[in-house]
Amino acid sequence: MPAQFHNPVATYFGGGSLSQITSLTDGQTVALVIFPEARGLGLVDKIQALLGDRLVHIVEDVQPNPDVAQLRGTYERFWQQASECETVLAVGGGSAIDTAKALMVGTESGSFDELLSLLATGKPFTPHRLKSLIAAPTTAGTGSEVTPWATIWDSAQQKKYSLHLPCTWPTAAIIDPDLMLTVPASVTVSTGLDALSHALESIWNVNANPISDTFAISAIEDILECLPQLRQDLTSRELRSRMALAALKAGMAFSNTKTALAHSISYEMTLRHGLPHGIACSFTLPFVLGLAWGRDPARDQTLQRVFGNDLGKAQTRLRDFLHSLDVKTEFGDYGVTESEAQEMVLYAMQGARGKNFIGTKAA
């Protein structure tokens, strides 16, 4: 069948590209969603200077892994205080962009619980009210700036919700590596590994196509080479730019395929064991590579363009790479017994993302 690739996000890349928000929001009022430390870094003042009186509302209490307990109040305040604004500008990591995607979708009542009820059905719906979204990531990893998906967590109920509608694609993405210069080593590694997972997951995926493969292969090669160097030289503009571009390419790849088994496993690891998302979705990559290998000749060919034709060497290369970044690669390293791990993998294969994995039907 002919390959189809679709990504409607206008994308701007390069140092200083944050200034694009001035022209992109011309004539519009803007609500800013940003991480708590941004004000201390001078980033809120910088955005205020670019937008002037168009900036009418600021949300800066974004938390990692946006949880319903905190989002409920943020959402309802947003729709009470900023319902007239036209554009939401998300500046931050995946949590800020996911929060912004939740805020942009307005319910009839303005109630967050109404949104949760709609998400719980798992079916598409048409928002009663809607804002447009501009996303400017400050980490190299999320990919959320070029995808329509957002994850909302409910840690108390041990659940997660996935928000994805045709209208939750950002209208524009601004990838400015200068925004990433202050990201600490731990976050640089975790988000970089999220990007690596996005790229690999788009290859061992039932929705893969030659166009997504092209983005994925390039992203994987760049991340494997660049991330260890960046960890040792966090202030390098060249390395930050290379990782930002690699993460963008990984985002473009999975924007058309969605993620697969490693991400499906990661949700349980985050809910049950508190693992940061980037670690939770990457520590199983050597293991999942072994499950994917030999399932589909075309997928094998693509994987072998990166790793060569020896599975054992490919898995060793991935493990050594992760270990070099101080990431442990066995379930037992995270307190998960062998029987629990087997149950978790089988459960993950039945999830929406697990079903994208090329090895799920055979299992």
Side-chain angles (χ1 to χ4, degrees), residues 306-344:
V306 178
F307 294 110
N309 59 10
D310 186 310
L311 171 60
K313 289 181 179 178
Q315 289 178 295
T316 296
R317 182 182 177 191
L318 261 184
R319 281 196 196 95
D320 288 348
F321 171 78
L322 291 163
H323 293 166
S324 76
L325 298 169
D326 296 327
V327 176
K328 297 174 181 178
T329 54
E330 304 299 326
F331 281 98
D333 296 325
Y334 301 97
V336 180
T337 67
E338 187 173 341
S339 61
E340 288 172 334
Q342 290 175 351
E343 289 177 8
M344 192 179 293

PDB file of all heavy atoms in Angstrom, residues 306-344:
ATOM      1  N   VAL A 306      20.408   0.401  11.468  1.00  0.00           N
ATOM      2  CA  VAL A 306      20.999   1.079  12.619  1.00  0.00           C
ATOM      3  C   VAL A 306      21.980   0.183  13.358  1.00  0.00           C
ATOM      4  O   VAL A 306      23.095   0.596  13.697  1.00  0.00           O
ATOM      5  CB  VAL A 306      19.901   1.536  13.607  1.00  0.00           C
ATOM      6  CG1 VAL A 306      20.523   2.197  14.837  1.00  0.00           C
ATOM      7  CG2 VAL A 306      18.925   2.481  12.931  1.00  0.00           C
ATOM      8  N   PHE A 307      21.587  -1.081  13.587  1.00  0.00           N
ATOM      9  CA  PHE A 307      22.310  -1.936  14.525  1.00  0.00           C
ATOM     10  C   PHE A 307      23.110  -3.067  13.884  1.00  0.00           C
ATOM     11  O   PHE A 307      23.801  -3.803  14.589  1.00  0.00           O
ATOM     12  CB  PHE A 307      21.316  -2.557  15.522  1.00  0.00           C
ATOM     13  CG  PHE A 307      20.653  -1.557  16.429  1.00  0.00           C
ATOM     14  CD1 PHE A 307      19.311  -1.252  16.293  1.00  0.00           C
ATOM     15  CD2 PHE A 307      21.370  -0.928  17.433  1.00  0.00           C
ATOM     16  CE1 PHE A 307      18.685  -0.348  17.140  1.00  0.00           C
ATOM     17  CE2 PHE A 307      20.765  -0.018  18.289  1.00  0.00           C
ATOM     18  CZ  PHE A 307      19.419   0.273  18.128  1.00  0.00           C
ATOM     19  N   GLY A 308      23.021  -3.250  12.561  1.00  0.00           N
ATOM     20  CA  GLY A 308      23.645  -4.418  11.959  1.00  0.00           C
ATOM     21  C   GLY A 308      22.736  -5.636  12.084  1.00  0.00           C
ATOM     22  O   GLY A 308      21.633  -5.557  12.620  1.00  0.00           O
ATOM     23  N   ASN A 309      23.216  -6.784  11.615  1.00  0.00           N
ATOM     24  CA  ASN A 309      22.326  -7.949  11.512  1.00  0.00           C
ATOM     25  C   ASN A 309      22.492  -8.967  12.634  1.00  0.00           C
ATOM     26  O   ASN A 309      21.992 -10.086  12.531  1.00  0.00           O
ATOM     27  CB  ASN A 309      22.508  -8.633  10.155  1.00  0.00           C
ATOM     28  CG  ASN A 309      23.940  -9.093   9.926  1.00  0.00           C
ATOM     29  OD1 ASN A 309      24.758  -9.070  10.837  1.00  0.00           O
ATOM     30  ND2 ASN A 309      24.240  -9.499   8.697  1.00  0.00           N
ATOM     31  N   ASP A 310      23.172  -8.616  13.716  1.00  0.00           N
ATOM     32  CA  ASP A 310      23.374  -9.522  14.847  1.00  0.00           C
ATOM     33  C   ASP A 310      22.567  -9.004  16.036  1.00  0.00           C
ATOM     34  O   ASP A 310      22.889  -7.955  16.621  1.00  0.00           O
ATOM     35  CB  ASP A 310      24.866  -9.599  15.193  1.00  0.00           C
ATOM     36  CG  ASP A 310      25.171 -10.628  16.275  1.00  0.00           C
ATOM     37  OD1 ASP A 310      24.495 -10.601  17.331  1.00  0.00           O
ATOM     38  OD2 ASP A 310      26.089 -11.444  16.077  1.00  0.00           O
ATOM     39  N   LEU A 311      21.507  -9.729  16.417  1.00  0.00           N
ATOM     40  CA  LEU A 311      20.633  -9.283  17.499  1.00  0.00           C
ATOM     41  C   LEU A 311      21.398  -9.141  18.803  1.00  0.00           C
ATOM     42  O   LEU A 311      21.219  -8.157  19.535  1.00  0.00           O
ATOM     43  CB  LEU A 311      19.460 -10.251  17.676  1.00  0.00           C
ATOM     44  CG  LEU A 311      18.573 -10.013  18.918  1.00  0.00           C
ATOM     45  CD1 LEU A 311      17.959  -8.627  18.888  1.00  0.00           C
ATOM     46  CD2 LEU A 311      17.498 -11.092  19.011  1.00  0.00           C
ATOM     47  N   GLY A 312      22.220 -10.112  19.134  1.00  0.00           N
ATOM     48  CA  GLY A 312      22.956 -10.062  20.392  1.00  0.00           C
ATOM     49  C   GLY A 312      23.810  -8.808  20.491  1.00  0.00           C
ATOM     50  O   GLY A 312      23.831  -8.133  21.536  1.00  0.00           O
ATOM     51  N   LYS A 313      24.505  -8.493  19.406  1.00  0.00           N
ATOM     52  CA  LYS A 313      25.344  -7.287  19.407  1.00  0.00           C
ATOM     53  C   LYS A 313      24.486  -6.028  19.489  1.00  0.00           C
ATOM     54  O   LYS A 313      24.871  -5.048  20.131  1.00  0.00           O
ATOM     55  CB  LYS A 313      26.222  -7.257  18.155  1.00  0.00           C
ATOM     56  CG  LYS A 313      27.331  -8.300  18.153  1.00  0.00           C
ATOM     57  CD  LYS A 313      28.187  -8.196  16.902  1.00  0.00           C
ATOM     58  CE  LYS A 313      29.317  -9.218  16.909  1.00  0.00           C
ATOM     59  NZ  LYS A 313      30.139  -9.157  15.668  1.00  0.00           N
ATOM     60  N   ALA A 314      23.330  -6.069  18.833  1.00  0.00           N
ATOM     61  CA  ALA A 314      22.440  -4.905  18.864  1.00  0.00           C
ATOM     62  C   ALA A 314      21.946  -4.649  20.285  1.00  0.00           C
ATOM     63  O   ALA A 314      21.947  -3.504  20.764  1.00  0.00           O
ATOM     64  CB  ALA A 314      21.262  -5.130  17.920  1.00  0.00           C
ATOM     65  N   GLN A 315      21.524  -5.716  20.970  1.00  0.00           N
ATOM     66  CA  GLN A 315      21.049  -5.555  22.350  1.00  0.00           C
ATOM     67  C   GLN A 315      22.182  -5.100  23.276  1.00  0.00           C
ATOM     68  O   GLN A 315      21.975  -4.249  24.141  1.00  0.00           O
ATOM     69  CB  GLN A 315      20.459  -6.861  22.857  1.00  0.00           C
ATOM     70  CG  GLN A 315      19.119  -7.213  22.214  1.00  0.00           C
ATOM     71  CD  GLN A 315      18.593  -8.544  22.706  1.00  0.00           C
ATOM     72  OE1 GLN A 315      19.195  -9.593  22.468  1.00  0.00           O
ATOM     73  NE2 GLN A 315      17.456  -8.511  23.398  1.00  0.00           N
ATOM     74  N   THR A 316      23.371  -5.649  23.073  1.00  0.00           N
ATOM     75  CA  THR A 316      24.516  -5.247  23.887  1.00  0.00           C
ATOM     76  C   THR A 316      24.838  -3.772  23.672  1.00  0.00           C
ATOM     77  O   THR A 316      25.128  -3.041  24.632  1.00  0.00           O
ATOM     78  CB  THR A 316      25.743  -6.105  23.543  1.00  0.00           C
ATOM     79  OG1 THR A 316      25.468  -7.469  23.880  1.00  0.00           O
ATOM     80  CG2 THR A 316      26.971  -5.641  24.306  1.00  0.00           C
ATOM     81  N   ARG A 317      24.751  -3.333  22.425  1.00  0.00           N
ATOM     82  CA  ARG A 317      25.032  -1.918  22.144  1.00  0.00           C
ATOM     83  C   ARG A 317      24.034  -1.012  22.870  1.00  0.00           C
ATOM     84  O   ARG A 317      24.428  -0.009  23.478  1.00  0.00           O
ATOM     85  CB  ARG A 317      24.980  -1.654  20.636  1.00  0.00           C
ATOM     86  CG  ARG A 317      25.324  -0.211  20.283  1.00  0.00           C
ATOM     87  CD  ARG A 317      25.219   0.065  18.801  1.00  0.00           C
ATOM     88  NE  ARG A 317      25.484   1.465  18.511  1.00  0.00           N
ATOM     89  CZ  ARG A 317      25.258   2.044  17.336  1.00  0.00           C
ATOM     90  NH1 ARG A 317      24.785   1.332  16.315  1.00  0.00           N
ATOM     91  NH2 ARG A 317      25.506   3.332  17.164  1.00  0.00           N
ATOM     92  N   LEU A 318      22.771  -1.385  22.840  1.00  0.00           N
ATOM     93  CA  LEU A 318      21.753  -0.576  23.525  1.00  0.00           C
ATOM     94  C   LEU A 318      21.956  -0.606  25.042  1.00  0.00           C
ATOM     95  O   LEU A 318      21.869   0.427  25.711  1.00  0.00           O
ATOM     96  CB  LEU A 318      20.355  -1.096  23.179  1.00  0.00           C
ATOM     97  CG  LEU A 318      19.562  -0.378  22.096  1.00  0.00           C
ATOM     98  CD1 LEU A 318      18.172  -0.986  21.961  1.00  0.00           C
ATOM     99  CD2 LEU A 318      19.460   1.119  22.361  1.00  0.00           C
ATOM    100  N   ARG A 319      22.227  -1.796  25.585  1.00  0.00           N
ATOM    101  CA  ARG A 319      22.449  -1.898  27.035  1.00  0.00           C
ATOM    102  C   ARG A 319      23.661  -1.075  27.455  1.00  0.00           C
ATOM    103  O   ARG A 319      23.610  -0.339  28.455  1.00  0.00           O
ATOM    104  CB  ARG A 319      22.650  -3.356  27.440  1.00  0.00           C
ATOM    105  CG  ARG A 319      21.384  -4.167  27.550  1.00  0.00           C
ATOM    106  CD  ARG A 319      21.594  -5.464  28.305  1.00  0.00           C
ATOM    107  NE  ARG A 319      20.485  -6.362  28.054  1.00  0.00           N
ATOM    108  CZ  ARG A 319      20.472  -7.313  27.117  1.00  0.00           C
ATOM    109  NH1 ARG A 319      21.557  -7.516  26.365  1.00  0.00           N
ATOM    110  NH2 ARG A 319      19.410  -8.076  26.953  1.00  0.00           N
ATOM    111  N   ASP A 320      24.751  -1.216  26.713  1.00  0.00           N
ATOM    112  CA  ASP A 320      25.966  -0.477  27.060  1.00  0.00           C
ATOM    113  C   ASP A 320      25.727   1.025  26.990  1.00  0.00           C
ATOM    114  O   ASP A 320      26.237   1.790  27.827  1.00  0.00           O
ATOM    115  CB  ASP A 320      27.115  -0.873  26.124  1.00  0.00           C
ATOM    116  CG  ASP A 320      27.641  -2.271  26.396  1.00  0.00           C
ATOM    117  OD1 ASP A 320      27.281  -2.862  27.441  1.00  0.00           O
ATOM    118  OD2 ASP A 320      28.410  -2.786  25.554  1.00  0.00           O
ATOM    119  N   PHE A 321      24.953   1.454  25.996  1.00  0.00           N
ATOM    120  CA  PHE A 321      24.622   2.869  25.869  1.00  0.00           C
ATOM    121  C   PHE A 321      23.848   3.346  27.096  1.00  0.00           C
ATOM    122  O   PHE A 321      24.179   4.373  27.698  1.00  0.00           O
ATOM    123  CB  PHE A 321      23.801   3.086  24.596  1.00  0.00           C
ATOM    124  CG  PHE A 321      23.216   4.470  24.460  1.00  0.00           C
ATOM    125  CD1 PHE A 321      24.012   5.528  24.045  1.00  0.00           C
ATOM    126  CD2 PHE A 321      21.884   4.717  24.746  1.00  0.00           C
ATOM    127  CE1 PHE A 321      23.485   6.817  23.921  1.00  0.00           C
ATOM    128  CE2 PHE A 321      21.342   5.984  24.627  1.00  0.00           C
ATOM    129  CZ  PHE A 321      22.152   7.038  24.219  1.00  0.00           C
ATOM    130  N   LEU A 322      22.824   2.598  27.486  1.00  0.00           N
ATOM    131  CA  LEU A 322      22.026   2.977  28.653  1.00  0.00           C
ATOM    132  C   LEU A 322      22.859   2.939  29.931  1.00  0.00           C
ATOM    133  O   LEU A 322      22.774   3.841  30.775  1.00  0.00           O
ATOM    134  CB  LEU A 322      20.803   2.065  28.767  1.00  0.00           C
ATOM    135  CG  LEU A 322      19.743   2.266  27.675  1.00  0.00           C
ATOM    136  CD1 LEU A 322      18.790   1.075  27.627  1.00  0.00           C
ATOM    137  CD2 LEU A 322      18.965   3.550  27.909  1.00  0.00           C
ATOM    138  N   HIS A 323      23.673   1.894  30.081  1.00  0.00           N
ATOM    139  CA  HIS A 323      24.521   1.797  31.269  1.00  0.00           C
ATOM    140  C   HIS A 323      25.505   2.962  31.344  1.00  0.00           C
ATOM    141  O   HIS A 323      25.816   3.452  32.437  1.00  0.00           O
ATOM    142  CB  HIS A 323      25.274   0.472  31.281  1.00  0.00           C
ATOM    143  CG  HIS A 323      24.388  -0.718  31.466  1.00  0.00           C
ATOM    144  ND1 HIS A 323      24.812  -2.020  31.229  1.00  0.00           N
ATOM    145  CD2 HIS A 323      23.087  -0.823  31.845  1.00  0.00           C
ATOM    146  CE1 HIS A 323      23.810  -2.854  31.461  1.00  0.00           C
ATOM    147  NE2 HIS A 323      22.758  -2.154  31.837  1.00  0.00           N
ATOM    148  N   SER A 324      25.995   3.418  30.189  1.00  0.00           N
ATOM    149  CA  SER A 324      26.939   4.541  30.175  1.00  0.00           C
ATOM    150  C   SER A 324      26.285   5.818  30.686  1.00  0.00           C
ATOM    151  O   SER A 324      26.973   6.747  31.125  1.00  0.00           O
ATOM    152  CB  SER A 324      27.482   4.767  28.760  1.00  0.00           C
ATOM    153  OG  SER A 324      26.522   5.408  27.919  1.00  0.00           O
ATOM    154  N   LEU A 325      24.955   5.853  30.627  1.00  0.00           N
ATOM    155  CA  LEU A 325      24.199   6.999  31.137  1.00  0.00           C
ATOM    156  C   LEU A 325      23.641   6.726  32.538  1.00  0.00           C
ATOM    157  O   LEU A 325      22.789   7.472  33.027  1.00  0.00           O
ATOM    158  CB  LEU A 325      23.057   7.326  30.172  1.00  0.00           C
ATOM    159  CG  LEU A 325      23.498   7.745  28.763  1.00  0.00           C
ATOM    160  CD1 LEU A 325      22.304   7.792  27.822  1.00  0.00           C
ATOM    161  CD2 LEU A 325      24.224   9.085  28.787  1.00  0.00           C
ATOM    162  N   ASP A 326      24.136   5.644  33.157  1.00  0.00           N
ATOM    163  CA  ASP A 326      23.715   5.242  34.510  1.00  0.00           C
ATOM    164  C   ASP A 326      22.248   4.850  34.579  1.00  0.00           C
ATOM    165  O   ASP A 326      21.575   5.065  35.602  1.00  0.00           O
ATOM    166  CB  ASP A 326      24.020   6.343  35.536  1.00  0.00           C
ATOM    167  CG  ASP A 326      25.507   6.613  35.685  1.00  0.00           C
ATOM    168  OD1 ASP A 326      26.288   5.656  35.549  1.00  0.00           O
ATOM    169  OD2 ASP A 326      25.884   7.775  35.896  1.00  0.00           O
ATOM    170  N   VAL A 327      21.742   4.256  33.504  1.00  0.00           N
ATOM    171  CA  VAL A 327      20.382   3.741  33.472  1.00  0.00           C
ATOM    172  C   VAL A 327      20.437   2.220  33.543  1.00  0.00           C
ATOM    173  O   VAL A 327      21.066   1.578  32.695  1.00  0.00           O
ATOM    174  CB  VAL A 327      19.637   4.181  32.198  1.00  0.00           C
ATOM    175  CG1 VAL A 327      18.247   3.540  32.133  1.00  0.00           C
ATOM    176  CG2 VAL A 327      19.521   5.696  32.155  1.00  0.00           C
ATOM    177  N   LYS A 328      19.821   1.644  34.554  1.00  0.00           N
ATOM    178  CA  LYS A 328      19.786   0.192  34.709  1.00  0.00           C
ATOM    179  C   LYS A 328      18.731  -0.394  33.784  1.00  0.00           C
ATOM    180  O   LYS A 328      17.714   0.243  33.509  1.00  0.00           O
ATOM    181  CB  LYS A 328      19.511  -0.168  36.165  1.00  0.00           C
ATOM    182  CG  LYS A 328      20.610   0.312  37.110  1.00  0.00           C
ATOM    183  CD  LYS A 328      20.264   0.077  38.566  1.00  0.00           C
ATOM    184  CE  LYS A 328      21.377   0.584  39.471  1.00  0.00           C
ATOM    185  NZ  LYS A 328      21.043   0.409  40.907  1.00  0.00           N
ATOM    186  N   THR A 329      18.949  -1.616  33.316  1.00  0.00           N
ATOM    187  CA  THR A 329      18.140  -2.141  32.214  1.00  0.00           C
ATOM    188  C   THR A 329      17.371  -3.422  32.540  1.00  0.00           C
ATOM    189  O   THR A 329      16.839  -4.062  31.637  1.00  0.00           O
ATOM    190  CB  THR A 329      19.037  -2.400  30.988  1.00  0.00           C
ATOM    191  OG1 THR A 329      20.133  -3.242  31.370  1.00  0.00           O
ATOM    192  CG2 THR A 329      19.576  -1.098  30.413  1.00  0.00           C
ATOM    193  N   GLU A 330      17.297  -3.792  33.806  1.00  0.00           N
ATOM    194  CA  GLU A 330      16.553  -4.992  34.178  1.00  0.00           C
ATOM    195  C   GLU A 330      15.391  -4.617  35.098  1.00  0.00           C
ATOM    196  O   GLU A 330      15.508  -3.708  35.920  1.00  0.00           O
ATOM    197  CB  GLU A 330      17.464  -5.998  34.899  1.00  0.00           C
ATOM    198  CG  GLU A 330      18.695  -6.408  34.107  1.00  0.00           C
ATOM    199  CD  GLU A 330      18.376  -7.083  32.792  1.00  0.00           C
ATOM    200  OE1 GLU A 330      17.350  -7.803  32.730  1.00  0.00           O
ATOM    201  OE2 GLU A 330      19.133  -6.893  31.827  1.00  0.00           O
ATOM    202  N   PHE A 331      14.290  -5.337  34.976  1.00  0.00           N
ATOM    203  CA  PHE A 331      13.145  -5.084  35.854  1.00  0.00           C
ATOM    204  C   PHE A 331      13.545  -5.195  37.319  1.00  0.00           C
ATOM    205  O   PHE A 331      13.104  -4.416  38.173  1.00  0.00           O
ATOM    206  CB  PHE A 331      12.012  -6.070  35.545  1.00  0.00           C
ATOM    207  CG  PHE A 331      11.200  -5.707  34.336  1.00  0.00           C
ATOM    208  CD1 PHE A 331      11.459  -6.302  33.105  1.00  0.00           C
ATOM    209  CD2 PHE A 331      10.165  -4.783  34.421  1.00  0.00           C
ATOM    210  CE1 PHE A 331      10.709  -5.978  31.989  1.00  0.00           C
ATOM    211  CE2 PHE A 331       9.403  -4.457  33.314  1.00  0.00           C
ATOM    212  CZ  PHE A 331       9.675  -5.047  32.090  1.00  0.00           C
ATOM    213  N   GLY A 332      14.380  -6.200  37.624  1.00  0.00           N
ATOM    214  CA  GLY A 332      14.799  -6.404  39.003  1.00  0.00           C
ATOM    215  C   GLY A 332      15.525  -5.210  39.589  1.00  0.00           C
ATOM    216  O   GLY A 332      15.506  -5.004  40.810  1.00  0.00           O
ATOM    217  N   ASP A 333      16.163  -4.419  38.732  1.00  0.00           N
ATOM    218  CA  ASP A 333      16.857  -3.225  39.208  1.00  0.00           C
ATOM    219  C   ASP A 333      15.889  -2.213  39.810  1.00  0.00           C
ATOM    220  O   ASP A 333      16.299  -1.323  40.570  1.00  0.00           O
ATOM    221  CB  ASP A 333      17.623  -2.562  38.060  1.00  0.00           C
ATOM    222  CG  ASP A 333      18.745  -3.437  37.511  1.00  0.00           C
ATOM    223  OD1 ASP A 333      19.364  -4.159  38.312  1.00  0.00           O
ATOM    224  OD2 ASP A 333      18.991  -3.386  36.294  1.00  0.00           O
ATOM    225  N   TYR A 334      14.619  -2.344  39.475  1.00  0.00           N
ATOM    226  CA  TYR A 334      13.601  -1.389  39.939  1.00  0.00           C
ATOM    227  C   TYR A 334      12.610  -2.042  40.909  1.00  0.00           C
ATOM    228  O   TYR A 334      11.524  -1.526  41.129  1.00  0.00           O
ATOM    229  CB  TYR A 334      12.871  -0.794  38.735  1.00  0.00           C
ATOM    230  CG  TYR A 334      13.818  -0.084  37.791  1.00  0.00           C
ATOM    231  CD1 TYR A 334      14.313  -0.728  36.657  1.00  0.00           C
ATOM    232  CD2 TYR A 334      14.257   1.211  38.065  1.00  0.00           C
ATOM    233  CE1 TYR A 334      15.208  -0.082  35.805  1.00  0.00           C
ATOM    234  CE2 TYR A 334      15.147   1.852  37.224  1.00  0.00           C
ATOM    235  CZ  TYR A 334      15.624   1.202  36.097  1.00  0.00           C
ATOM    236  OH  TYR A 334      16.523   1.835  35.257  1.00  0.00           O
ATOM    237  N   GLY A 335      13.023  -3.195  41.475  1.00  0.00           N
ATOM    238  CA  GLY A 335      12.208  -3.846  42.486  1.00  0.00           C
ATOM    239  C   GLY A 335      11.061  -4.663  41.940  1.00  0.00           C
ATOM    240  O   GLY A 335      10.128  -4.999  42.681  1.00  0.00           O
ATOM    241  N   VAL A 336      11.106  -5.013  40.651  1.00  0.00           N
ATOM    242  CA  VAL A 336      10.042  -5.787  40.019  1.00  0.00           C
ATOM    243  C   VAL A 336      10.508  -7.238  39.905  1.00  0.00           C
ATOM    244  O   VAL A 336      11.559  -7.512  39.307  1.00  0.00           O
ATOM    245  CB  VAL A 336       9.701  -5.241  38.622  1.00  0.00           C
ATOM    246  CG1 VAL A 336       8.582  -6.055  37.974  1.00  0.00           C
ATOM    247  CG2 VAL A 336       9.302  -3.771  38.713  1.00  0.00           C
ATOM    248  N   THR A 337       9.754  -8.182  40.471  1.00  0.00           N
ATOM    249  CA  THR A 337      10.131  -9.589  40.391  1.00  0.00           C
ATOM    250  C   THR A 337       9.920 -10.111  38.973  1.00  0.00           C
ATOM    251  O   THR A 337       9.223  -9.485  38.158  1.00  0.00           O
ATOM    252  CB  THR A 337       9.297 -10.441  41.355  1.00  0.00           C
ATOM    253  OG1 THR A 337       7.928 -10.435  40.913  1.00  0.00           O
ATOM    254  CG2 THR A 337       9.383  -9.906  42.780  1.00  0.00           C
ATOM    255  N   GLU A 338      10.500 -11.260  38.693  1.00  0.00           N
ATOM    256  CA  GLU A 338      10.376 -11.835  37.352  1.00  0.00           C
ATOM    257  C   GLU A 338       8.922 -12.139  36.998  1.00  0.00           C
ATOM    258  O   GLU A 338       8.470 -11.863  35.891  1.00  0.00           O
ATOM    259  CB  GLU A 338      11.205 -13.117  37.255  1.00  0.00           C
ATOM    260  CG  GLU A 338      11.261 -13.685  35.840  1.00  0.00           C
ATOM    261  CD  GLU A 338      12.225 -14.858  35.720  1.00  0.00           C
ATOM    262  OE1 GLU A 338      13.094 -15.012  36.593  1.00  0.00           O
ATOM    263  OE2 GLU A 338      12.089 -15.620  34.745  1.00  0.00           O
ATOM    264  N   SER A 339       8.176 -12.681  37.956  1.00  0.00           N
ATOM    265  CA  SER A 339       6.776 -12.985  37.666  1.00  0.00           C
ATOM    266  C   SER A 339       5.961 -11.710  37.476  1.00  0.00           C
ATOM    267  O   SER A 339       5.091 -11.640  36.596  1.00  0.00           O
ATOM    268  CB  SER A 339       6.170 -13.825  38.795  1.00  0.00           C
ATOM    269  OG  SER A 339       6.196 -13.128  40.027  1.00  0.00           O
ATOM    270  N   GLU A 340       6.244 -10.675  38.280  1.00  0.00           N
ATOM    271  CA  GLU A 340       5.559  -9.387  38.109  1.00  0.00           C
ATOM    272  C   GLU A 340       5.886  -8.774  36.756  1.00  0.00           C
ATOM    273  O   GLU A 340       5.009  -8.202  36.095  1.00  0.00           O
ATOM    274  CB  GLU A 340       5.960  -8.412  39.217  1.00  0.00           C
ATOM    275  CG  GLU A 340       5.388  -8.747  40.582  1.00  0.00           C
ATOM    276  CD  GLU A 340       5.963  -7.877  41.686  1.00  0.00           C
ATOM    277  OE1 GLU A 340       7.103  -7.385  41.531  1.00  0.00           O
ATOM    278  OE2 GLU A 340       5.272  -7.685  42.688  1.00  0.00           O
ATOM    279  N   ALA A 341       7.142  -8.908  36.340  1.00  0.00           N
ATOM    280  CA  ALA A 341       7.551  -8.359  35.049  1.00  0.00           C
ATOM    281  C   ALA A 341       6.815  -9.050  33.908  1.00  0.00           C
ATOM    282  O   ALA A 341       6.353  -8.392  32.964  1.00  0.00           O
ATOM    283  CB  ALA A 341       9.063  -8.504  34.871  1.00  0.00           C
ATOM    284  N   GLN A 342       6.696 -10.371  33.984  1.00  0.00           N
ATOM    285  CA  GLN A 342       5.975 -11.105  32.944  1.00  0.00           C
ATOM    286  C   GLN A 342       4.514 -10.663  32.870  1.00  0.00           C
ATOM    287  O   GLN A 342       3.971 -10.451  31.780  1.00  0.00           O
ATOM    288  CB  GLN A 342       6.070 -12.614  33.205  1.00  0.00           C
ATOM    289  CG  GLN A 342       7.458 -13.182  32.988  1.00  0.00           C
ATOM    290  CD  GLN A 342       7.546 -14.650  33.375  1.00  0.00           C
ATOM    291  OE1 GLN A 342       6.610 -15.217  33.963  1.00  0.00           O
ATOM    292  NE2 GLN A 342       8.664 -15.276  33.050  1.00  0.00           N
ATOM    293  N   GLU A 343       3.900 -10.505  34.022  1.00  0.00           N
ATOM    294  CA  GLU A 343       2.511 -10.036  34.058  1.00  0.00           C
ATOM    295  C   GLU A 343       2.392  -8.624  33.487  1.00  0.00           C
ATOM    296  O   GLU A 343       1.451  -8.315  32.745  1.00  0.00           O
ATOM    297  CB  GLU A 343       1.994 -10.048  35.500  1.00  0.00           C
ATOM    298  CG  GLU A 343       1.771 -11.441  36.071  1.00  0.00           C
ATOM    299  CD  GLU A 343       1.326 -11.396  37.527  1.00  0.00           C
ATOM    300  OE1 GLU A 343       1.056 -10.279  38.025  1.00  0.00           O
ATOM    301  OE2 GLU A 343       1.277 -12.463  38.158  1.00  0.00           O
ATOM    302  N   MET A 344       3.365  -7.779  33.825  1.00  0.00           N
ATOM    303  CA  MET A 344       3.334  -6.397  33.356  1.00  0.00           C
ATOM    304  C   MET A 344       3.460  -6.326  31.837  1.00  0.00           C
ATOM    305  O   MET A 344       2.755  -5.556  31.175  1.00  0.00           O
ATOM    306  CB  MET A 344       4.465  -5.603  34.024  1.00  0.00           C
ATOM    307  CG  MET A 344       4.359  -4.099  33.840  1.00  0.00           C
ATOM    308  SD  MET A 344       5.699  -3.205  34.670  1.00  0.00           S
ATOM    309  CE  MET A 344       5.329  -3.539  36.391  1.00  0.00           C
TER     310      MET A 344
END
